[in-house]
Structure formats: structure tokens, C-alpha cells
Amino acid sequence: MMLGRLAARKAARGAFLCQRVHPTISALPARFQSTAAVEAEETIRAPPPSFEPKAGRKYEFFQDIEMTPEGVAVIRFDGPKSVNSISFDMSREARVMWENEIANNAEVKAVVFSSGKPGMFIAGADIFDLKAVENKQDLVGLIEEGMDFFQLMKDKKIPLVCAIDGPALGGGLEWTMWCDYRVASDSPKTKLGLPEVKLGLLPGFGGTQNLHELVGLQNAMDMMLTGKDVRPDKAKKMGLVDLVVASQSVESVAIQSAIDLATGKLKPKRKKKSLMNRLLEDNPIGQKLIWNQIDKMVAKNTNGNYPAPYSIIQCVQHGLANPATKYKNEREQFAKLAATPESEALIGIFDGMTQMKKHNFGKDAARPVNTVAVMGAGLMGAGIAQVTAEKGVTVLLKDRNDEAVGRGQSYMKGNWDKKLKRRRMTKFKHNIASSNVIGLTDDNPATPAHFARAGMVIEAVFEDLDLKRKIVADVESQTPDHCIFATNTSAIPIADIAQGAKRPENIIGMHYFSPVPSMPLLEIIPHEGTSDATKATAFEVGSKQGKTCIMVKDVPGFYVNRCLGPFLVEVSAVVRDGVKLEALDKALKNFGMPVGPVTLADEVGIDVTSHVAGFLSNADLGDRMGGGDISLMKDMIGKGWLGKKSGQGFYTYKGKKKTISPEVEAYVKGFVQQDLGLSEKEVQDRIVSRFVNEAAKCLEDDIIENPVVGDIGLVFGTGFAPFRGGPFRYLDQVGVGNYVDMMHGFADKYGPQFEPCQLLKDYAAAEKKFHSS
Ligand SMILES: C/C=C/C(=O)SCCNC(=O)CCNC(=O)[C@H](O)C(C)(C)COP(=O)(O)OP(=O)(O)OC[C@H]1O[C@@H](n2cnc3c(N)ncnc32)[C@H](O)[C@@H]1OP(=O)(O)O
């Protein structure tokens, strides 16, 4: 069971075919003769020098162009990496290729953009190229070069068609919007979106201007401000694509469409707006209503901490009012955002997440797991069963009796029903997931036969060492030798659970966060004797369940809860020093946490929070758990004030608004020793520094392998302000030296719990950063 669930959940809530021209193509339809939107002040610069051809083909980022007999040039993206992206080199090569082979070639009557990598269209602009530009102002010119290419394409005045199979994201989707017709495959890999906002950026290849032309203002703002992607069927309904076909036919249908467009047989149909949308979007009063709604939503969701959504709004509004400078303004805004610390932090998170998708135990180290047994059908067990069954794995959900198993199954069904209702799951997938779960009890005679097939057992029972050891012994007697035993303990050392096991090398910790279906993080905790095969298998099962996995050392609290321990103690300390509960929540929300610590404790449960804090107080953290008094929460348990689940915690939960009752106020007052009149900044710094120092101490003690793991762990496990990028990037941004000085000041004022760890002092002395970029 974990702390930080709500916080993290919220946090956790951007080539061409060539031959002879078909005789029927003589004159192109008029619509392709029109000049595309050109900005008055934009000029096309001289083409860059040619590139050295790659061995066996002419281009590095494209397959050689093929021409159909009808004059359709098929250009297939196929860069050197597993994912196609629009790097500066790719964009320049596209221009060279176009000028050499298309621009003045009268035989080319239409172009189809496709991909040489099945299931991968274009993932967007190359994020690492964007990162590498030192002076972000230079991005204005670099993006302009890319835009020149789109203009060149349009200048040819022939039909441009895209065959989209796989992700078309960011700049990839923007590329398709410069074309006249889009055919998408119905593959589960195909998704269309502008996720730039998640990187603290905006769509800079014309997306802020071109998307609303296709899908309307409201849909466009929703896509750009949330960064969410759209599945092909929805994209078709919105007007973002023209056709959806099977993957294997996407290119041939695109070619046929290109021929039909060129001959005038096909005219792209733009989606008509409903009357309501016309009223809202096409007149100034309606637009005003839309902008008011959007402003409110953005203010609520960003708390003013994320600049990108505001720049996206600025770009769209500017473009509507000033068409002549719309693209120029867009790229200037893009460059400004790229220079912000928020964008640096969010790109750091993307990079970290990508790194966490891989392990280093070798490609074949993991064992295949087709059946997972989950012991314990409570909230954690049922959640683990749900995310496993959804991914097509057979789940054996076992508990003491039918009632317990039934409760777990109802929990899963409830969640799947909700997904079905919200169209996040099809009826077919709902049925498959449900049929993947087999409920079992201790006295069911079929249980041993089922367990004999299990490749992994995940235990999610009470935190009781003897019970867990007994389960290990039972499981070892019922399962094959290769079966892995994963424990979901949040507190008991894995080595203790493995003691006395017959196959300790198969034992590992898999620490999920509650509620499992919505929490993105999984801590994987090997003990000294865990084999690499077990580590790799746990990693692959966790990734398959949709979790971002971090490998951490077997110490009390592991990584995430260990950091939360000193944080919670400091929360009690500032209450003691006179900070009111609501002011405390507000201070941490203003720092960027998705919820304040008081709400967090209520959400997680006062009993659970108090247990974790109490457990860590008795562990090996010494002074770092000092300075506060967690009996503030302990005594609440006796009163039945368990948090949101009991309707009463620090807050009273009646109706929609939570309030602080006079009874709680009086109770908390009993703990207040003095009113220091702390400023909001000091409250933030006192609490956050305890958290950040513990993260650094975990790095010093090798509990986490590197700062990237540390950042991802706290952002995804606790909701640590994503725009700050995690504790290590935050330290880099404020300066480790400044932070150490601040902590020393607190240590003088409040005591040794604020003494910065040695690693922080070393980094401060050497003026080092945790991240190189
Ligand atoms: C003006 C325009 C601005 C923009 O367009 S900004 C970029 C907007 N695009 C995005 O934010 C999309 C980011 N990428 C993704 O969401 C995912 O990736 C995919 C869905 C495309 C693929 O997911 P999966 O199959 O799980 O692959 P993987 O492990 O995430 O990535 C494989 C390798 O591809 C690199 N990569 C992915 N997207 C980009 C990109 N946009 N620019 C540069 N590299 C990218 C990764 O880092 C990694 O690399 P390695 O194998 O070396 O670890």
C-alpha cells in the first residue's frame, strides 16, 4: 500500500514510387492550383548542400522514391532509429530530395507520404535535437526551415496524401495537416495527437493554426491543451483523417486516393460543424464563451505553473486575429517555451520514462509469464489482477473464501464497466479481460492444478512476516521451479521474506501504488540473492501491466515511502509551529504538488500514513525522522478518523466540499506549541527540503541507481511537481549550493533533521549538477 496515490494519479493526469504518368491525368483540379497560406514576411531560403548518400540508397531518412505508373510519388519515412522523427537533418534532406526529384518533375502528379517502418509513422520533431540547441532563440530560424519545406510542398500544387500507420504525433501529425488527404490504419498502434504541451512546448509546425481548421476550435484546443492522442475512428469522426482502413491496405488506399484526387474523381469532404458548434465557434460572442471556459480550465489545471497552455491559447487567438503573421508568431512562442525551465524539466521526464522502458539484464533474460497468480483479493490484489488481465494474461485471483474473491472481482468489473462507459475499452476487450480472471479459494480442489501453471505469484496480503513466509512455503510446494514469487509489501524487507525459502533466487519485491489501475509507478526490489532472470521477468511483467518500473534497493520504505517519511514528520512539525491545515495544503499545492499533504494523508488513509511514518521512525533514518510528532495522526486512528474512506479525517467529507470541523480544529490546536508566523515559502522549503534531502541520501546510499530513477520515482510515485522535473532536476535548477545553504540555515534554526546529506554537500562544494542537460 502506498502513499501519494492521489497526488501521482493527478500528476500523472506532445520517400516516394516513380514511373510514367497516367495518360488520364492532364490538368489538375483547381483546388490544387491555389496558393497555400503564405505569410507575407516569409521567404524561401537557398537549399542546403546535398547529403552523402547512405550505402545502398540515396537518403538517410527516406527510402528511395517510388513512382506509380499513374504518377504518384511515394515517399517513405525511414530514418536510422527505430522511431521516425523530424530532426533538423531529416528536414533538410526532405528539402533536398524534394528539390531534386519532385519540384521540377512534371511526371509527378501526386505525392503519398508513407513509412518504411510498419506501425511507425512519425513520433514528432526530434526531441533531442530541440534539446541540443543551446540558444533556444535559434529555434525560430530552424523551425522556419522546416516550414519552408511544407511551403515548397504546397507550391507544387498537386495532391498530397498521407498513409498513416502507427503514431503520428507532434510534428508528425502537423506534417499530415499540410497535406490534402489523410488515410489512417485501424491498427492499435495508430494514434494521432499533439503531445507537445506535455513537454512544455506547443505545436510549432503550424499545428496551432491548422488543427482547428480541420476539427473545429473546441476539439483542437482540447487536443492541444491536454496533449492526449486520438484513435483512428475518433480522428475520422472529428475530421482529422479522411479514411480509416486496415494496416495492410493503408498505403495502397492512399495511392488510389492520390490518383483520384489528381484526376478530380475524389474531392476531400471537410467535416461540417453542427449548428451548435457554428454558433459557438464562428462568431465573436460564441468564441468569447469558449475562451472563458478554456481560461478557467487552464487556470484550474495548471495553477499557473505551466506556461505552455497559455502560449497555445495566445497562438490560436493571435492567428485568428492576424492571419498574416500566424506562423511567425507560433514559432517565436515555441522558441520562448523551449527556453523555459518547465520545458527542460518535462523533457527530462519524457527522457527518463523512455530510459525506464528498458532493463539491462539482456534481451532474453526474462522468462515468459502467461499465468500470474495474485494472492489476496483486496484493493491492491484486485487492482494488480485488473491491470494484468487487461493485458491478456491469465490471472488466478485467490483469497480465503468466495466472498473475498467476489469482492475483488466486483471491483475489477466496476472499473471495466466505467471504462466501457467512457469508451476507453471495447465490449470485446471487457469480455476478454473478465474471462482472463479465475477466482480461487484455499479449499477449492482445483487450486493446486491451476497454481501448477503459474509463472509468477504476486502476494498482496496483510503486512505480517510470518504470514508471508507461510505463503512462500505454500506457493513453492504448489508451483513449478521457475515460478517467481513477488511480494507487494510496502514495509517488510524482501530478504526477510526470502529467508528460509527453497528458491530465494525467485523472490523479489513488486511494490505497487494504490489505486493500482491509475498509479503509474512500480518499485521493483530485488534482495541480495535474487537472480537476474527474476529481476528481468518482474520488470517485463510490470511494464506489460503498463507501469513505469524503477529498480530500488531493499531498505525500509524502499525509495518512495522512505522519502515520504521525513516529509510527513515535517508536516507535523509545521502544524506544531502554527500553520493551519488549509494553509499547509495551499502552500504545497502552490509549490506544484497536485494535492497538499493534509488532503494526501486523508486520501491515503490516516491509518496507512501513520503506519508508514511510524515504521520509518523505527528504521535506520536517525535524525532525518526527527523534529516532528507523528502521534498527531496516531491518535486520530483511535477516534475512527481514518480519512476520506471513513468520511472523517483532517477534513470532514460531507457533500462535495470538504471542511474542517470545529472538533478537528480543537484537536489539532492541542498540538500547536507556538505560532511562528511562517511564510508560505518557508513552509514549502521546510517540507520539500526534507523530501529532497532524503532522495539525495537514497542516491548517496545506492538505494536508487541514478538521479533519473530518483526523479521518475518521486514524480510518478508522489506527484512531485512535474514542471520541476523531480527532486534532482529541481536541485539543479535552484542550485545545489543555494539549497545546502538554505538547509544549513534551517538546521541552525530548527535542529539536525535539516542537516543536508553528504552527497548534497559534495555537489555543492564541487558546484556540480545531477543532470548534464
Ligand atoms: C514542433 C514540433 C514539436 C514536436 O513534435 S515535439 C515531439 C512530440 N512528440 C512526442 O512527444 C512523442 C514522443 N514519443 C512517444 O510518445 C513514443 O516514443 C512513441 C509512442 C512514438 C513510441 O513509443 P515506444 O514504441 O514505446 O518507443 P519508445 O521507447 O518511447 O521510443 C523508442 C526510441 O525513440 C526515441 N523517440 C521517441 N520519440 C522521439 C522523438 N519525438 N524524438 C526523438 N526521439 C524519440 C526514444 O527516445 C527511444 O530512443 P532510444 O531507443 O534511444 O531509447
Side-chain angles (χ1 to χ4, degrees), residues 551-572:
M551 203 68 76
V552 305
K553 208 164 148 185
D554 186 14
V555 294
F558 312 129
Y559 173 57
V560 174
N561 283 352
R562 199 174 170 90
C563 293
L564 279 165
F567 169 93
L568 289 170
V569 175
E570 194 55 28
V571 168
S572 71

Side-chain angles (χ1 to χ4, degrees), residues 14 82-83 85 123-128 169-171 174 191 195-196 199 204-205 334 350 354 357-358:
S82 62
V83 156
S85 63
D126 192 300
I127 294 170
F128 302 101
L169 299 174
E174 290 176 274
K191 46 185 181 176
E196 288 90 339
L199 303 172
F205 284 140
F334 183 94
F350 166 79
T354 308
K357 288 186 191 174
K358 297 177 199 138

Side-chain angles (χ1 to χ4, degrees), residues 137-398:
Q137 200 47 38
D138 293 346
L139 282 168
V140 175
L142 288 161
I143 291 180
E144 196 177 352
E145 275 186 30
M147 296 286 275
D148 287 351
F149 169 71
F150 294 133
Q151 193 53 60
L152 258 187
M153 281 184 351
K154 300 298 289 182
D155 287 346
K156 177 81 177 160
K157 294 170 194 146
I158 55 170
L160 305 170
V161 178
C162 288
I164 307 164
D165 179 39
L169 299 174
L173 181 62
E174 290 176 274
W175 189 306
T176 75
M177 290 193 276
W178 286 97
C179 298
D180 304 289
Y181 202 77
R182 287 154 289 274
V183 183
S185 85
D186 64 2
S187 151
K189 288 186 178 166
T190 301
K191 46 185 181 176
L192 303 99
L194 295 176
E196 288 90 339
V197 71
K198 295 185 191 168
L199 303 172
L201 298 171
L202 57 77
F205 284 140
T208 63
Q209 310 305 315
N210 300 345
L211 182 61
H212 63 82
E213 299 276 332
L214 284 175
V215 303
L217 192 58
Q218 295 167 92
N219 282 334
M221 294 313 292
D222 184 38
M223 278 180 74
M224 291 190 288
L225 293 173
T226 61
K228 70 184 175 196
D229 34 66
V230 175
R231 313 271 327 134
D233 50 348
K234 179 149 185 226
K236 167 98 175 49
K237 273 190 203 137
M238 289 165 84
L240 187 54
V241 299
D242 298 274
L243 275 182
V244 178
V245 300
S247 287
Q248 61 271 27
S249 7
V250 70
E251 192 177 283
S252 55
V253 172
I255 292 171
Q256 188 56 51
S257 304
I259 296 168
D260 292 346
L261 285 163
T263 56
K265 224 166 117 185
L266 175 68
K267 302 233 176 320
K269 279 196 202 115
R270 292 292 154 242
K271 200 177 151 43
K272 287 216 173 77
K273 286 182 187 172
S274 66
L275 177 64
M276 177 57 103
N277 281 348
R278 284 210 307 276
L279 283 174
L280 276 172
E281 297 186 359
D282 298 345
N283 80 76
I285 299 171
Q287 276 183 8
K288 201 162 177 228
L289 280 175
I290 295 178
W291 291 122
N292 280 345
Q293 277 302 105
I294 288 175
D295 285 346
K296 272 191 212 146
M297 187 194 84
V298 169
K300 184 166 169 242
N301 290 343
T302 64
N303 211 12
N305 289 323
Y306 295 80
Y310 296 97
S311 300
I312 291 171
I313 295 172
Q314 190 277 349
C315 283
V316 180
Q317 291 180 339
H318 176 99
L320 289 169
N322 309 280
T325 54
K326 59 185 185 178
Y327 298 122
K328 179 172 179 283
N329 173 67
E330 181 190 76
R331 55 183 171 263
E332 284 169 0
Q333 292 291 326
F334 183 94
K336 268 192 205 157
L337 285 178
T340 59
E342 290 84 0
S343 176
E344 184 190 87
L346 293 168
I347 289 178
I349 292 176
F350 166 79
D351 197 7
M353 268 177 74
T354 308
Q355 288 182 39
M356 298 303 118
K357 288 186 191 174
K358 297 177 199 138
H359 62 71
N360 50 10
F361 306 109
K363 206 165 115 305
D364 302 318
R367 299 187 192 121
V369 174
N370 301 317
T371 302
V372 170
V374 179
M375 313 271 293
L379 273 192
M380 290 302 283
I384 297 167
Q386 179 189 324
V387 297
T388 315
E390 276 172 14
K391 295 297 149 66
V393 177
T394 302
V395 175
L396 312 172
L397 182 63
K398 182 167 172 265

Side-chain angles (χ1 to χ4, degrees), residues 322-468:
N322 309 280
T325 54
K326 59 185 185 178
Y327 298 122
K328 179 172 179 283
N329 173 67
E330 181 190 76
R331 55 183 171 263
E332 284 169 0
Q333 292 291 326
F334 183 94
K336 268 192 205 157
L337 285 178
T340 59
E342 290 84 0
S343 176
E344 184 190 87
L346 293 168
I347 289 178
I349 292 176
F350 166 79
D351 197 7
M353 268 177 74
T354 308
Q355 288 182 39
M356 298 303 118
K357 288 186 191 174
K358 297 177 199 138
H359 62 71
N360 50 10
F361 306 109
K363 206 165 115 305
D364 302 318
R367 299 187 192 121
V369 174
N370 301 317
T371 302
V372 170
V374 179
M375 313 271 293
L379 273 192
M380 290 302 283
I384 297 167
Q386 179 189 324
V387 297
T388 315
E390 276 172 14
K391 295 297 149 66
V393 177
T394 302
V395 175
L396 312 172
L397 182 63
K398 182 167 172 265
D399 210 315
R400 279 188 315 274
N401 51 40
D402 288 338
E403 288 74 46
V405 174
R407 270 196 298 276
Q409 284 176 318
S410 303
Y411 171 82
M412 286 185 269
K413 185 175 177 307
N415 286 344
W416 286 328
D417 286 350
K418 267 187 229 152
K419 280 187 160 189
L420 188 65
K421 208 168 150 199
R422 291 177 193 157
R423 301 192 183 189
R424 300 226 172 104
M425 192 178 212
T426 60
K427 182 80 192 146
F428 178 70
K429 287 213 168 125
H430 185 293
N431 289 344
I432 296 279
S434 312
S435 64
N436 280 340
V437 183
I438 300 170
L440 295 171
T441 54
D442 287 335
D443 54 6
N444 184 333
T447 298
H450 280 297
F451 268 63
R453 291 188 290 121
M456 176 182 273
V457 174
I458 304 174
E459 138 322 270
V461 302
F462 305 116
E463 292 287 65
D464 175 328
L465 180 59
D466 291 338
L467 176 64
K468 291 191 193 261

Side-chain angles (χ1 to χ4, degrees), residues 504-524:
E505 69 280 8
N506 287 357
I507 295 183
I508 195 158
M510 285 173 83
H511 184 206
Y512 294 84
F513 291 72
S514 183
V516 178
S518 45
M519 287 294 289
L521 189 73
L522 172 64
E523 285 182 310
I524 297 183

